[in-house]
Amino acid sequence: MTQLRIKEISLHVLKELRKFNKPIEARDLSKKTGLEYEVLMTQAIHELQTLESPLVDFKEKEVTELIPTEELKDYVKNGLPERQLVNFLVDNQFDEISIEEFQTLMEMDKSFFFIGLTNAKRNRWIMQSNATDSPTIYLNNQEAPLSNLEKLIEKFKRETVTVEELPKELKDEVNQLLKRKLVTKKTYTNRTIILTELGKKIDLDSFMVIGEEIPRLTAEMLSDGSWRENIHKLKKFEVQNAGPRLCAGKLHPMTVLINKAREVFLSMGFTEIKGPIVESAFYNFDALFQPQDHPAREMHDTFYLKHPAKAKLPSKKIVNAVKKTHEGGGNSKSLGWGGKWSSEIAKRVLLRTHTTATTIRRLSKIAQNKESLPVKVFSLDRVFRNESVDATHLAEFMQIEGIVVGKNLNLSHLKGYLTEFYKKMGFEKLIMHPDFFPYTEPSLGVTVYVETLGKWHEMGGSGIFRPEVTYPLGIKEPIRVLAWGMGFERLAMLSLQRNDIRDLYRSPLKWLKEIPYN
Amino acid sequence: MPTLDFTIKQMSKLVGRELSIEELESDLQWIALDIEAIDEKDGVIKVEYQPNRPDYSSPEGIARALKGYYELEMGLAQFEVRENSDLICLVDNKVKKIRPYIVMCAIKDIHMDEEQVATLMNIQEALHHALGRGRQKVAIGVHDFDKVNPPYQYTTVKPNAIKFRPLQMEKLELTPQEILEEHPKGIEYAHIVNQFEEYPIIFDRDNNVISFPPIINGILTTVTDKTRNILLDLTGTDLRLVTYSMNILVTTFADMGGKIESAKVVSFDGTEKCYPDLTPEKWTIKKSYINSYIGLELTSEEMIHCLKKCRMDAFPGKKKGTLEVFVPAYRSDFIHEVDFTEEVATGYNYKQIEPVLYEGGSIGSYHPIFKLQDKVKQIMVGAGYLETFNFMLTARETYKTLKIPFDEKHNVIIDNPVSKEYNTTRTMLMPVLMRLLQFNRSEEKPIKIFEVGDVIIFDASSETGATQKLHVCALTHHSSAEFTEIRSLLDFLTQTLGIWNDLEVKPSDNPTFISGRTGEIWIKNSRVGIIGEIHPEVLENFGLRFPVAIFELDLSLVLPEKDQQLE
């Protein structure tokens, strides 16, 4: 058991209680300990009673105290008027006496005399004879027994009389006292203090008295060695309480998630790539075999730039190959889109709508540099869509993309990579179903099962780049390109528990500080 | 993506067997349909289909695919087209430069119920949107066949040469010109024709107006619940898309019980052709090519079975190892042999394809720029700063709030911003970090935040006209924040990056900062950043009630040139 810490005053009270060793009324204890009643109750008793293992307890009782009047105090000393009358008769050996004479001899206030006379008669201590003209009194019995009322008055010889502790027969006499205006009533709460079992046996020397404690271990205590005698006086902390919030540095949860995905790619042998955000329509759309009149290229989906407005196109070789592929399939054996391909449209400058633009730039170097295969690259970077920003939409977000370039790659391999990638990202169950993307064939959509939500979530797309995309870049059969990607915020919203997607980017600081990494 | 609603009852009837919601919920995805919503009570399923499959714009089209999936009906769906020698459409030479193509045909003996009328409207809308590019390339007119007489004439008229009553404004006789100006559809689609001197028009034999394509039909041929025979016209600028749209429409009508009668289009150049032409398109594909794309080793029979499940016909080709495939006329999403991989994979069922780990070894690495970014984040977090993650899009207005001059010539300007809040990209991090501080200004102090990220600088010499640079910006905000505190952070950062010996802060003056408490950051003769205590006027602009000390540093000097290469 750890050392108990109590106030000095409480220890003092505890010692008194142990000395007394019986239940005691609080007022009495107050006198014994010399403490003010209020101080005793609100400080010492309160502390002793509210310790984790209480040392004292108390019982409360409503009590009615009878306060004697001066008249009663006189009777307590000298007896009631009726007793005084009887005593007079006995002491003076009067067998019979007329009331007139009795009154004269008694030298008593007339009204008290008659009260006494009436009550003595009612108690059958005396009798009255009306045989003569003047009535006479004679003793009924030599030994007038104590009346109940007298027994009650006897009690007032002690300190206090309370109605509750009187025996039944005496309780009935209380009204008599009240009627004779010999007492007044006062009602209050009585608190009886008792030691608990623990309080009865606890070692009184085992306490640490508050006030002697030392707030902190100081350098002086360490250098002069005084910590030895003071170590037990060191302030004890409420270790179960939380401390104040730390003002600390912390990575943004998006960074933590992004790094997790990057690590997954790295572990699978992928190299990170980075490309321009301000991009040409050529790399963003044309090189991906996106027809020039495709709705996705329109203003309401893409941020076009007024400044800079025109990009330079890459080498004539690549541009011509792309042009021919659009118009009639080029050497890709495709029918193409027909119509005329415009280099002016391809020169438009925009904020890239997907990182695939960067992927294409990377792919265009493979044939050029005669790189050995496979080439495995990934990117995790910013992309833009011309959307109004609200709680569920962003105009810019992070996109994850992975690419494998190799010989005879096929749909099974794509499923293999997707299974491995999503497993490492924490999704064991996934469905890979047919889907459509303009620049892949075949295409797969990926739906994952999110354990924490118990729900399936559409996560991303994937596919094998169309020959119309790879041939102009010099990547030809049997070399194929697997690609998969997803919007990163989707993943983030699943694990970061925000209702408003904008919060990922405006970082409510309280949330940043409290959000666990997972 | 386009969507379509159908009831489970309707689909069961079309497919020809009892279907349950649970069954479709798990099966539709394997024919490339995505379930958007399910109304269990009314048995309604809402599906999303891909833009390359406009034949999925009707329950009839989906039922065709499902019948193949369940192997209830395989191979090409059969449609009968009767020739009707009376149905002739004469095309005037004048349409050549305006809207050159028209195809027409009739659907006879059709009794459409409410669901089918809704289907028709849905297809029409879907085709107008997906293939027609907003009626530009294809526009569809549906008419009551019995109200007009062939031969039909497709020609052009002067904007005010004729008057007729258009649909939706039945009470008025309007000229084409007036329709473009006053009619809601006229206003919506005027841009397609109003640059021409004459507008396209379809008359019947007696010069009654059938339609003013691609805008609106005349009321004469209004389709009602009493209509039993339908006349279709499709006009446009791309014959392939026009005929393809017609094929999707008529096959759906045929599935509804209508009988297709073809019409002969007599062109201005004298050529004649009957539409619809539902002859399947023939492709020759190499079995080994398809197999190697999917990772299978299917025999000819197996591959033929797969294709038949996708409602195509296929036969062993003349050349060994090839197949001849016949593609239904309501599908036209084939432009390369590779497109058949998806069909075979769908017929085989994507879920049966085994995931295989590719045995191509390679060594991965991070990009040097991201590596530097990671390193700087670590240093800043170690210094007790919270990382933030901000938009790259920002507002020109924010620069003004910061008293930083915004030069149109040296910034990226977005041509079509959705809002004023995002009309440029950041050239420095300070504006976005200050905005973030403003958003968080009532949070517990001290606030110490930073960001490491790309900024975009206009650069006429670069390929796309702009370059990216990695910057770091950090600020401290509390009752006793001041220059020294942020200077210590700058020292700690540069020391850890190993460039502290080259660091020099030169006193400067700048309205953003308090004079005497700001300087330019120089490293080896290059100005690479700025540091200082924000001027109270700027603090007021941002509604901040405590001082802010901040620095921003361009990190590109830390990396050798070769490591800064972008793809």
Side-chain angles (χ1 to χ4, degrees), chain A residues 278-482:
Chain A
V278 172
E279 185 56 282
S280 63
F282 181 83
Y283 279 114
N284 197 76
F285 294 127
D286 294 286
L288 282 160
F289 195 53
Q290 191 90 277
Q292 290 195 322
D293 66 351
H294 195 278
R297 298 179 70 143
E298 281 165 24
M299 298 284 268
H300 55 77
D301 276 327
T302 305
F303 283 119
Y304 284 98
L305 300 189
K306 191 177 346 178
H307 186 257
K310 210 177 243 191
K312 298 181 184 88
L313 293 182
S315 74
K316 271 224 165 63
K317 196 179 155 201
I318 288 184
V319 174
N320 269 333
V322 167
K323 176 184 164 74
K324 281 185 184 156
T325 307
H326 274 249
E327 290 177 350
N331 63 1
S332 74
K333 295 182 196 152
S334 168
L335 300 178
W337 297 122
K340 276 270 165 220
W341 183 83
S342 150
S343 63
E344 285 311 300
I345 293 176
K347 280 180 193 163
R348 295 190 69 179
V349 183
L350 44 79
L351 299 179
R352 70 175 168 210
T353 63
H354 46 199
T355 49
T356 320
T358 295
T359 303
I360 293 292
R361 285 177 177 272
R362 179 70 187 84
L363 292 180
S364 70
K365 288 178 185 164
I366 291 175
Q368 213 176 300
N369 300 339
K370 298 196 171 65
E371 292 177 51
S372 59
L373 299 179
V375 170
K376 287 153 67 175
V377 295
F378 78 95
S379 77
L380 219 164
D381 217 342
R382 206 67 70 104
V383 298
F384 299 78
R385 295 280 159 87
N386 195 349
E387 288 216 50
S388 309
V389 177
D390 60 33
T392 53
H393 296 91
L394 295 176
E396 59 175 293
F397 41 94
M398 302 294 288
Q399 191 188 345
I400 307 185
E401 186 161 325
I403 300 285
V404 187
V405 188
K407 271 189 187 170
N408 290 315
L409 284 166
N410 61 43
L411 201 53
S412 292
H413 298 131
L414 180 59
K415 282 185 88 168
Y417 273 114
L418 289 173
T419 308
E420 199 61 26
F421 173 77
Y422 279 101
K423 194 166 92 186
K424 281 174 176 262
M425 288 302 292
F427 303 102
E428 293 278 343
K429 283 202 273 183
L430 59 157
I431 294 175
M432 293 167 276
H433 52 87
D435 207 338
F436 171 78
F437 303 102
Y439 43 89
T440 53
E441 173 69 36
S443 308
L444 281 176
V446 181
T447 305
V448 302
Y449 187 72
V450 185
E451 293 284 350
T452 49
L453 303 177
K455 269 199 255 179
W456 290 92
H457 258 262
E458 185 73 39
M459 221 29 159
S462 69
I464 304 179
F465 274 147
R466 294 188 67 92
E468 291 95 328
V469 175
T470 62
Y471 272 61
L473 307 175
I475 297 174
K476 297 173 183 175
E477 277 292 304
I479 302 170
R480 297 181 194 134
V481 182
L482 307 180

Side-chain angles (χ1 to χ4, degrees), chain A residues 252 255 269 272 274 277-278 293 299 302 304 306-307 312 332 335 386 396 415 435 441 466 480, chain B residues 50 137 292 336 339 342 350 353 362 365 387 392-393 409 411 413 415-416 418 454 464 468 567:
Chain A
H252 194 282
T255 291
E272 188 171 34
K274 188 171 172 66
I277 287 166
V278 172
D293 66 351
M299 298 284 268
T302 305
Y304 284 98
K306 191 177 346 178
H307 186 257
K312 298 181 184 88
S332 74
L335 300 178
N386 195 349
E396 59 175 293
K415 282 185 88 168
D435 207 338
E441 173 69 36
R466 294 188 67 92
R480 297 181 194 134
Chain B
Q50 302 293 347
K137 293 188 159 188
S292 92
H336 194 284
D339 290 314
E342 193 167 284
Y350 274 71
I353 296 166
S362 59
S365 63
E387 190 200 357
M392 295 185 76
L393 291 168
K409 286 198 185 84
N411 279 279
I413 310 287
D415 197 15
N416 55 332
V418 202
D454 286 330
T464 60
Q468 276 150 251
E567 294 306 329

Side-chain angles (χ1 to χ4, degrees), chain B residues 189-352:
Chain B
Y189 297 105
H191 65 275
I192 302 175
V193 292
N194 64 8
Q195 69 274 38
F196 301 112
E197 283 177 10
E198 297 204 357
Y199 302 151
I201 204 94
I202 305 171
F203 293 121
D204 83 337
R205 182 187 68 193
D206 310 313
N207 282 349
N208 295 311
V209 173
I210 298 175
S211 178
F212 168 20
I215 314 296
I216 194 82
N217 291 343
I219 58 158
L220 186 60
T221 56
T222 307
V223 174
T224 68
D225 53 0
K226 295 193 183 69
T227 304
R228 292 293 167 261
N229 300 312
I230 282 173
L231 178 68
L232 289 176
D233 85 75
L234 289 94
T235 61
T237 56
D238 182 326
L239 184 60
R240 192 182 67 89
L241 293 176
V242 169
T243 55
Y244 176 32
S245 301
M246 172 179 252
N247 295 348
I248 289 172
L249 262 177
V250 298
T251 51
T252 307
F253 275 122
D255 283 348
M256 288 178 181
K259 298 190 175 61
I260 309 168
E261 285 188 1
S262 66
K264 194 192 306 178
V265 176
V266 181
S267 176
F268 44 79
D269 58 12
T271 55
E272 295 180 356
K273 189 164 168 33
C274 283
Y275 294 99
D277 177 2
L278 298 182
T279 315
E281 199 175 52
K282 186 177 125 181
W283 283 79
T284 303
I285 61 173
K286 272 209 299 294
K287 215 176 57 185
S288 58
Y289 178 76
I290 304 290
N291 270 331
S292 92
Y293 241 90
I294 308 176
L296 295 174
E297 286 177 7
L298 299 178
T299 63
S300 297
E301 287 70 37
E302 287 166 337
M303 202 174 282
I304 287 169
H305 182 79
C306 291
L307 289 163
K308 284 192 160 183
K309 282 185 75 170
C310 294
R311 308 310 307 270
M312 297 179 184
D313 275 349
F315 307 94
K318 290 187 192 85
K319 228 172 113 187
K320 199 168 171 283
T322 66
L323 294 180
E324 283 185 351
V325 187
F326 293 88
V327 179
Y330 55 82
R331 292 197 57 186
S332 153
D333 47 323
F334 297 83
I335 56 170
H336 194 284
E337 189 182 354
V338 76
D339 290 314
F340 289 90
T341 58
E342 193 167 284
E343 301 304 316
V344 173
T346 302
Y348 183 80
N349 200 340
Y350 274 71
K351 74 176 154 189
Q352 312 285 359

Side-chain angles (χ1 to χ4, degrees), chain B residues 500-563:
Chain B
W500 187 71
N501 286 334
D502 301 321
L503 175 77
E504 197 185 339
V505 176
K506 298 181 181 174
S508 64
D509 249 328
N510 179 327
T512 307
F513 300 100
I514 300 170
S515 181
R517 293 180 170 217
T518 176
E520 291 174 344
I521 305 171
W522 287 69
I523 287 177
K524 284 189 191 162
N525 307 320
S526 302
R527 202 178 72 105
V528 290
I530 194 146
I531 181 168
E533 258 181 63
I534 299 280
H535 198 280
E537 222 170 286
V538 175
L539 294 179
E540 276 180 7
N541 288 348
F542 279 92
L544 299 171
R545 304 234 291 266
F546 295 103
V548 173
I550 190 168
F551 78 76
E552 173 148 3
L553 181 65
D554 177 357
L555 291 164
S556 40
L557 256 143
V558 178
L559 276 182
E561 198 74 25
K562 69 168 176 47
D563 285 344

Side-chain angles (χ1 to χ4, degrees), chain A residues 119-273:
Chain A
N119 284 315
K121 282 193 276 189
R122 186 185 296 147
N123 293 345
R124 297 185 186 278
W125 292 340
I126 55 172
M127 302 287 275
Q128 183 173 331
S129 165
N130 294 329
T132 57
D133 286 343
S134 64
T136 58
I137 296 295
Y138 57 92
L139 279 168
N140 185 29
N141 191 333
Q142 287 290 328
E143 295 158 38
L146 275 182
S147 71
N148 279 344
L149 187 60
E150 280 178 309
K151 284 181 192 160
L152 178 57
I153 287 169
E154 275 291 290
K155 302 265 180 195
F156 285 93
K157 284 186 177 159
R158 271 189 3 213
E159 300 284 307
T160 52
V161 177
T162 61
V163 176
E164 287 77 7
E165 63 191 15
L166 293 176
K168 166 98 182 48
E169 68 272 17
L170 295 191
K171 261 184 201 156
D172 297 341
E173 298 302 321
V174 173
N175 277 338
Q176 190 67 25
L177 284 183
L178 289 168
K179 213 157 81 189
R180 286 172 72 170
K181 296 200 170 68
L182 294 177
V183 293
T184 53
K185 266 209 256 186
K186 189 180 156 198
T187 305
Y188 60 86
T189 308
N190 200 347
R191 295 181 176 86
T192 307
I193 292 162
I194 47 178
L195 285 165
T196 62
E197 285 311 306
L198 181 66
K200 281 178 193 156
K201 32 177 227 240
I202 195 161
D203 177 5
L204 291 177
D205 294 329
S206 73
F207 292 98
M208 168 90 231
V209 176
I210 301 176
E212 287 172 23
E213 69 180 15
I214 297 167
R216 64 185 57 81
L217 189 63
T218 62
E220 287 81 3
M221 286 161 72
L222 288 170
S223 64
D224 64 17
S226 65
W227 65 267
R228 282 187 177 78
E229 57 264 31
N230 289 317
I231 187 79
H232 63 283
K233 291 186 192 161
L234 264 184
K235 176 178 155 56
K236 303 279 190 293
F237 286 103
E238 305 291 338
V239 294
Q240 65 273 31
N241 292 353
R245 197 187 353 252
L246 199 64
C247 171
K250 186 175 176 183
L251 287 176
H252 194 282
M254 284 281 277
T255 291
V256 175
L257 264 179
I258 286 168
N259 284 347
K260 176 177 168 186
R262 292 171 69 216
E263 201 181 293
V264 167
F265 274 118
L266 195 72
S267 75
M268 292 169 71
F270 285 68
T271 293
E272 188 171 34
I273 57 173

